[in-house]
Amino acid sequence: MTRVAQALDTLATLVGRPPVSDLASAFDAAGFELSLVGGPVRDAFLGKDVNDLDFASSAHPDQIEQIVRPLADAVWDVGREFGTIAAQFGDTTIEITTYRADSYDGASRKPTVEFGDSLDEDLVRRDFTLNAMAVRVPGLVLVDPYGGLTDLMDGVLRTPSPPEVSFGDDPLRMLRACRFVAQLGARIEPETASALSEMAPRIEGISAERVRDELVKLLSTPHPREGVEAFVDSGLAHLVLPELALLREERDEHRRHKDVYQHSLTVLEQAIELEQERHPGSPPDVTLRIAALLHDIGKPVTKKFEPGGVVTFHHHDVVGAKMAKKRLKALRFDNNTIDSVSLLIELHLRFFGYADQGWSDSAVRRYVRDAGDELERLHIVTRADVTTRNRQKADRLAFAYDDLEARIKELSEKEELQAMRPDLDGQQIMDILGIGPSRTVGQAYRFLLELRIDHGPLGEDAARERLLEWWDKQ
């Protein structure tokens, strides 16, 4: 059976059973059109599971609600002013939207909502032709006025209306195109790509939250590299994430075959492979992926030419961490993501000192303490950062990190490194020194924590003796 035949069989099964069959009959009896539209149709032809069910109808919102309410377990407004009513049928959520014929003022994303008269008119306002297909119910009639099925089969991204009109209506569609490059393995056809590059500055009129959400969707795809490349090549990254765009202009300090930009894309790929290997079946770790992609963004601003023509990027880890924090704040990421990404970037070079000369137990404890809850992600980012083609060097670094993880595990079993605390708590410090809550208690606590890191567990008696020695010197 061909892919198209399989898709039609899947759709026939879907529309032939409740709740879709009940809805189709009810709308037909009331004299209104009803069609499954967009993503569900596309996914059926891709052989993917069809989960979200979106419908378009000639009925207006009040009419939709009147038809659906007797059939559904619950009905609510998603956006009545935009023509959308949602309904719950057991475990299935369905959204039904009146045919649309929106017009935009060209200055903002907010449309002037106009309800349309036909399905074709509704489909032409959608983002890409592969999302501008529909299946009429209760029959099984494929509606594809803009060649979406051909484009889907050929892996082509094309807008159903002229791209200047489509991107002008909603500039976020330009970033969505990059996501579909990654998600669907599609390529942007030349006219659409040209319009995307020319109109890239329009993305600055889109809210940071919407841009952030689309970037998260891009990085959540199984293989985001080609989508990220489209993001950079189009000029969108220069406006949204300029620190990434600037990487393409830098060469690494060894002047090897790879530039910093391509290296960063490879680190992203390798981090995803390790993420899936260590946590199979888990949702995409977007925080990890952002850190992997941005780990070297401090290089362009720390680049220096040393005697002999050597190029260095000293302290690019610390500088890059600050740059990432500033950019992610501007994109309205949550504080936990911002803090985690900046910490991972700041620490991503720490291991290479271990690979060169090995560490004492105190240095291993300090590594664990500084990484905190990000230790597992730091393991992945650090391993992914090895992209050398020198097999001997790669094997040496992999062996060294294996050894470091083994030492962390061994010390953790002995000393509970992840819950590292001084041998005395704050109340004990106050009792021993005869003082109340104050800055001095915090200073004493930090002194004991440094002892714990340097020497491992001391026990309460030895810690008390060292604390009193410290106190005598204050």
Side-chain angles (χ1 to χ4, degrees):
M1 185 181 294
T2 67
R3 189 196 301 183
V4 172
Q6 288 176 330
L8 292 174
D9 186 58
T10 298
L11 292 168
T13 301
L14 177 68
V15 303
R17 64 188 181 195
V20 177
S21 59
D22 295 337
L23 282 172
S25 297
F27 274 80
D28 187 51
F32 296 110
E33 297 177 0
L34 185 69
S35 298
L36 184 68
V37 294
V41 180
R42 179 199 69 217
D43 288 346
F45 284 107
L46 290 174
K48 298 181 178 180
D49 293 335
V50 177
N51 297 313
D52 299 328
L53 297 180
D54 297 325
F55 289 85
S57 175
S58 58
H60 283 208
D62 291 344
Q63 296 165 328
I64 293 172
E65 185 175 1
Q66 185 178 2
I67 296 169
V68 170
R69 189 169 291 282
L71 303 174
D73 298 322
V75 177
W76 65 95
D77 285 355
V78 172
R80 186 181 295 269
E81 69 276 21
F82 294 104
T84 303
I85 301 295
Q88 190 74 29
F89 299 82
D91 295 331
T92 302
T93 300
I94 287 175
E95 290 188 2
I96 305 173
T97 302
T98 303
Y99 292 156
R100 296 266 293 273
D102 298 341
S103 61
Y104 294 77
D105 60 16
S108 70
R109 169 62 188 111
K110 293 183 179 180
T112 301
V113 178
E114 298 177 5
F115 294 143
D117 298 320
S118 71
L119 179 58
D120 284 10
E121 188 179 17
D122 179 86
L123 295 175
V124 76
R125 56 168 291 276
R126 295 177 182 269
D127 54 4
F128 301 103
T129 58
L130 47 74
N131 290 326
M133 297 184 287
V135 172
R136 292 188 186 275
V137 295
L140 189 67
V141 179
L142 176 65
V143 180
D144 181 19
Y146 306 106
L149 183 56
T150 298
D151 285 346
L152 182 65
M153 297 297 107
D154 292 342
V156 173
L157 276 179
R158 187 193 320 270
T159 56
S161 58
E164 296 81 6
V165 174
S166 182
F167 295 153
D169 284 352
D170 184 2
L172 190 69
R173 290 172 174 174
M174 296 185 289
L175 189 50
R176 195 175 299 146
C178 301
R179 192 238 299 179
F180 282 134
V181 168
Q183 181 178 324
L184 304 177
R187 67 185 185 281
I188 305 173
E189 64 90 24
E191 184 180 352
T192 303
S194 178
L196 196 161
S197 295
E198 291 175 6
M199 299 180 69
R202 294 283 192 96
I203 199 68
E204 294 182 304
I206 300 299
S207 71
E209 290 83 0
R210 294 185 72 215
V211 170
R212 173 204 64 207
D213 291 347
E214 198 58 50
L215 283 175
V216 167
K217 290 177 183 178
L218 166 57
L219 290 175
S220 297
T221 59
H223 306 287
R225 179 171 185 149
E226 290 188 358
V228 174
E229 290 179 320
F231 175 52
V232 174
D233 292 344
S234 66
L236 288 168
H238 181 73
L239 301 161
V240 173
L241 200 55
E243 297 83 359
L244 175 63
L246 288 174
L247 288 182
R248 191 163 53 175
E249 302 174 11
E250 300 300 323
R251 293 271 174 193
D252 72 3
E253 58 267 46
H254 305 295
R255 294 186 175 181
R256 297 285 172 84
H257 62 283
K258 59 183 181 294
D259 60 25
V260 182
Y261 169 62
Q262 290 297 326
H263 164 74
S264 298
L265 294 176
T266 301
V267 172
L268 171 62
E269 286 184 313
Q270 295 186 165
I272 292 172
E273 290 175 3
L274 289 168
E275 169 196 338
Q276 295 171 343
E277 181 181 304
R278 291 186 173 220
H279 307 288
S282 296
D285 188 343
V286 175
T287 298
L288 169 69
R289 297 178 183 199
I290 295 172
L293 183 62
L294 302 184
H295 76 285
D296 273 348
I297 59 172
K299 281 190 170 181
V301 297
T302 58
K303 182 177 181 178
K304 287 187 178 180
F305 293 94
E306 305 292 349
V310 176
V311 181
T312 62
F313 304 97
H314 295 309
H315 307 300
H316 76 269
D317 46 349
V318 177
V319 172
K322 293 178 180 177
M323 292 170 63
K325 179 171 288 191
K326 181 178 180 180
R327 179 56 55 192
L328 295 181
K329 281 184 178 179
L331 288 169
R332 302 293 193 271
F333 277 88
D334 62 277
N335 289 334
N336 288 338
T337 299
I338 293 170
D339 292 343
S340 296
V341 169
S342 60
L343 180 62
L344 290 167
I345 293 174
E346 182 178 346
L347 295 180
H348 82 273
L349 290 181
R350 181 80 66 88
F351 155 74
F352 293 96
Y354 181 92
D356 291 338
Q357 59 187 18
W359 285 349
S360 62
D361 285 351
S362 64
V364 175
R365 295 188 192 100
R366 210 171 291 277
Y367 188 73
V368 174
R369 190 275 307 270
D370 290 349
D373 293 338
E374 300 305 319
L375 182 62
E376 174 61 18
R377 284 178 174 144
L378 183 58
H379 289 332
I380 293 175
V381 170
T382 302
R383 286 183 179 275
D385 196 22
V386 178
T387 62
T388 178
R389 291 182 179 179
N390 184 323
R391 178 47 51 193
Q392 185 176 4
K393 180 180 179 181
D395 289 344
R396 178 177 65 84
L397 290 171
F399 176 81
Y401 209 90
D402 288 342
D403 183 65
L404 175 58
E405 286 203 67
R407 288 186 62 191
I408 290 172
K409 181 179 180 181
E410 181 182 354
L411 283 173
S412 292
E413 290 172 350
K414 292 179 181 178
E415 305 176 12
E416 298 182 353
L417 291 187
Q418 293 285 59
M420 201 176 333
R421 301 285 189 276
D423 294 275
L424 303 172
D425 61 26
Q427 186 60 53
Q428 290 173 303
I429 291 171
M430 290 188 288
D431 291 344
I432 292 169
L433 301 183
I435 61 176
S438 64
R439 290 181 59 188
T440 302
V441 177
Q443 292 170 346
Y445 187 93
R446 287 190 291 273
F447 166 74
L448 291 173
L449 180 58
E450 289 298 316
L451 284 180
R452 168 77 169 77
I453 292 171
D454 288 339
H455 303 291
L458 300 175
E460 290 188 10
D461 291 341
R464 182 178 188 278
E465 182 178 341
R466 297 294 294 271
L467 176 62
L468 290 172
E469 291 175 1
W470 173 85
W471 181 241
D472 287 341
K473 295 176 182 178
Q474 301 306 303

